Amino acid sequence: MANALDVPPRPEGYVTDKAGLLDLNTRIKLENVLSKYEAKTSNQIFVVIFPSLEGASLEDFSIRLAEKWKPGQASKDNGAILLIFKNDRKIRIEVGYGLEGSLTDATAFQIIQNQISPYFKQGRYADGILNGVASIMKAIHGQYSNERSALTRNAINREYSQRAYNVRVHLDEKLLRTILYYVIGILFLLFIITSIVDVKRYKSYLYQHRIFKNLEPFPEWWIHNSSFLAILWGTFKLVLEILYYLFIFSMLRGGGSGISSRGGRSGGFSGGGGGRFGGGGASGGW
Amino acid sequence: MKKVLIAIGILVAVFAVIIMVFTGIYNRLIAGEEQVNSAWAQVENVYQRRLDLIPNLVEIVKGYMTHERGTLMDVINARAKISQINLSSNITDDPKMLEQFQNAQDSLSSALSKLLVVVERYPDLKANQNFLALQSQIEGTENRIAVERKRYNDSAREFNVLRRTIPNVFVANLMGLQNKAYFKADEGASKAPVVKF
């Protein structure tokens, strides 16, 4: 059983280098490039370097990393991660749903094989990573060559990603509509109940009148009767109504029942975060 | 007369509360079930994606592999068996059906990995660009399958926990909502297939 390596908290920048693979100049350059890229295209590419997998599986760690850090915009799922484990000599490109159409599995594999690995084999880590990032960006914009039948593959990937996306959007809308419907229904029912039960009971009690005489709607009755008891009862009833409404609403929402909503946003970037991943991409090594 | 009316009023209120609570619970269960169904749809989606890659793989490999056709035939047969399975919409409620489905898919997985091991002996095939692209697509799809299966299991577990707690369990039993089935963990996943030459 492989033990699971822990995923650290999401960083502030685009580049995480826990293995000391890159010198300061390269890091700064890379941060600039990636920051400008996000500003221009809203795509978020992270470069993540760790020393050792410690027996964990590369793909398993990669998807957990992607699910925790969530690069890419929530509405577009346009994130990608270049993940490197120095001691294990492993490279993986993890691709978000939104980029799978252009940055296909095959393309990611080719980038690792032809644009990163050759440099790494020579110990030129900075060049390899810069070249890899440049190739990833080219691939996303359909300009990476070394692809045969690119048209067919892109079409297939887009179709699958679209199908998956449609299913998720549909569920969110249905849940929202159900909750809205129930809120309206409850308010309506409450209105009916208060109109019937309260007015008749109180009037017959206090004024000793016959039930169906002098019947007026609750709001008017509330305004006209300024006796102390009327005000007191009215306030008490209002409070009860609010509590009642909150109780029902909380039943619908459910305290931690685990019905999932869209992924939460984390701060720290120019408004990114929330991008979703499906396990697309490729692995390789050197 | 006043007392009767008060009693009726209170009864109406109580009855309304019970209805509200019941429908609240039921709707939460339904929402949870829809979550499971959507996770299952994703699982079917990625398995279908793998299935669609097989014909291309067979075409390319056929041209290069003159011997050891057995492994290729295993892949073709496993794929045919899967195409024959009729998936009813209640597969998530039926552990036996899910197990059947998983076994069929797992035999394709093992046939595929055996084939990819055999391919190592054909350097021409290994250098073929189309084959390399296809191989990375298959590996990518296998990874997607693992991810979606895990997510399905997670959502099935969430639903089952929701369904089995009191008071939800009463509503669920009354309305006929079943516990969801799980994918079994791969026992042989950590072992690479051994191919005898």
Side-chain angles (χ1 to χ4, degrees), chain A residues 194-218 220-222 224-225 230 233, chain B residues 2 5-6:
Chain A
T194 51
S195 306
I196 298 172
V197 173
D198 204 8
V199 175
K200 286 183 185 170
R201 176 162 54 141
Y202 187 78
K203 277 189 76 61
S204 68
Y205 216 118
L206 195 63
Y207 294 103
Q208 322 274 293
H209 281 170
R210 280 178 55 202
I211 307 297
F212 296 105
K213 218 171 164 189
N214 298 333
L215 208 63
E216 52 183 327
F218 177 64
E220 269 94 301
W221 173 84
W222 160 255
H224 288 161
N225 286 275
W233 177 243
Chain B
K2 316 164 211 175
L5 209 69
I6 294 172

Side-chain angles (χ1 to χ4, degrees), chain A residues 124-195:
Chain A
R124 294 166 63 182
Y125 298 112
D127 290 334
I129 289 177
L130 287 169
N131 197 24
V133 165
S135 307
I136 289 173
M137 294 199 271
K138 271 193 244 160
I140 291 174
H141 301 284
Q143 289 155 341
Y144 180 75
S145 62
N146 196 327
E147 270 266 299
R148 308 251 180 100
S149 331
L151 233 66
T152 325
R153 262 198 289 283
N154 286 347
I156 291 175
N157 280 323
R158 243 190 302 262
E159 184 200 327
Y160 286 110
S161 304
Q162 191 61 43
R163 264 197 247 159
Y165 181 73
N166 286 344
V167 172
R168 286 201 301 281
V169 169
H170 183 60
L171 178 75
D172 289 336
E173 282 173 0
K174 253 205 310 179
L175 202 60
L176 219 73
R177 232 179 291 137
T178 314
I179 291 174
L180 213 72
Y181 167 70
Y182 262 88
V183 165
I184 294 173
I186 288 155
L187 284 173
F188 185 64
L189 214 69
L190 273 173
F191 172 72
I192 293 181
I193 292 178
T194 51
S195 306

Side-chain angles (χ1 to χ4, degrees), chain A residues 2-238:
Chain A
N3 53 346
L5 189 63
D6 281 331
V7 177
R10 184 178 158 135
E12 288 292 317
Y14 295 86
V15 180
T16 304
D17 183 6
K18 296 260 161 83
L21 213 60
L22 303 170
D23 60 286
L24 189 62
N25 279 340
T26 314
R27 280 198 61 164
I28 295 174
K29 185 169 170 184
L30 208 51
E31 287 271 0
N32 272 340
V33 164
L34 293 172
S35 166
K36 281 207 200 97
Y37 183 68
E38 183 188 349
K40 195 165 137 206
T41 63
S42 84
N43 301 333
Q44 271 185 349
I45 301 177
F46 286 12
V47 174
V48 185
I49 307 167
F50 286 109
S52 169
L53 265 172
E54 292 171 22
S57 141
L58 174 67
E59 285 79 14
D60 177 65
F61 180 81
S62 179
I63 191 72
R64 279 190 293 126
L65 184 76
E67 282 171 350
K68 187 160 174 183
W69 292 9
K70 298 190 197 293
Q73 314 303 326
S75 51
K76 294 188 195 157
D77 297 331
N78 52 352
I81 300 176
L82 174 57
L83 178 63
I84 294 158
F85 279 92
K86 181 181 175 195
N87 299 348
D88 304 271
R89 299 171 79 99
K90 288 203 176 145
I91 305 169
R92 180 164 173 88
I93 297 178
E94 190 74 45
V95 182
Y97 279 124
L99 297 176
E100 281 184 3
S102 44
L103 184 54
T104 63
D105 297 348
T107 312
F109 182 69
Q110 279 158 0
I111 291 177
I112 292 177
Q113 291 296 101
N114 303 331
Q115 311 295 343
I116 303 180
S117 189
Y119 287 98
F120 277 25
K121 283 186 178 135
Q122 295 177 0
R124 294 166 63 182
Y125 298 112
D127 290 334
I129 289 177
L130 287 169
N131 197 24
V133 165
S135 307
I136 289 173
M137 294 199 271
K138 271 193 244 160
I140 291 174
H141 301 284
Q143 289 155 341
Y144 180 75
S145 62
N146 196 327
E147 270 266 299
R148 308 251 180 100
S149 331
L151 233 66
T152 325
R153 262 198 289 283
N154 286 347
I156 291 175
N157 280 323
R158 243 190 302 262
E159 184 200 327
Y160 286 110
S161 304
Q162 191 61 43
R163 264 197 247 159
Y165 181 73
N166 286 344
V167 172
R168 286 201 301 281
V169 169
H170 183 60
L171 178 75
D172 289 336
E173 282 173 0
K174 253 205 310 179
L175 202 60
L176 219 73
R177 232 179 291 137
T178 314
I179 291 174
L180 213 72
Y181 167 70
Y182 262 88
V183 165
I184 294 173
I186 288 155
L187 284 173
F188 185 64
L189 214 69
L190 273 173
F191 172 72
I192 293 181
I193 292 178
T194 51
S195 306
I196 298 172
V197 173
D198 204 8
V199 175
K200 286 183 185 170
R201 176 162 54 141
Y202 187 78
K203 277 189 76 61
S204 68
Y205 216 118
L206 195 63
Y207 294 103
Q208 322 274 293
H209 281 170
R210 280 178 55 202
I211 307 297
F212 296 105
K213 218 171 164 189
N214 298 333
L215 208 63
E216 52 183 327
F218 177 64
E220 269 94 301
W221 173 84
W222 160 255
I223 294 168
H224 288 161
N225 286 275
S226 54
S227 74
F228 175 72
L229 259 163
I231 296 171
L232 194 68
W233 177 243
T235 323
F236 180 58
K237 230 199 58 58
L238 253 167

Side-chain angles (χ1 to χ4, degrees), chain A residues 67 92 97 100 105-106 153 157 160 163-164 167 171 175 182 189 201 244 251 254 258 260 277 279-280, chain B residues 5-6 9 17 20 23 25 27-28 31 34-35 38 42 45 49 52 129 136-137 140 143-144 148 151 158:
Chain A
E67 282 171 350
R92 180 164 173 88
Y97 279 124
E100 281 184 3
D105 297 348
R153 262 198 289 283
N157 280 323
Y160 286 110
R163 264 197 247 159
V167 172
L171 178 75
L175 202 60
Y182 262 88
L189 214 69
R201 176 162 54 141
Y244 184 66
M251 285 297 299
S260 79
F277 287 70
Chain B
L5 209 69
I6 294 172
V17 170
M20 289 292 171
T23 46
I25 292 176
N27 284 355
R28 261 193 347 177
E34 279 306 304
Q35 190 75 1
S38 111
Q42 299 276 48
N45 195 20
R49 183 188 185 129
D52 292 345
Q129 286 299 322
S136 57
Q137 293 220 297
N143 192 37
R144 285 186 179 81
E148 295 302 340
R151 288 179 183 169
E158 277 176 16

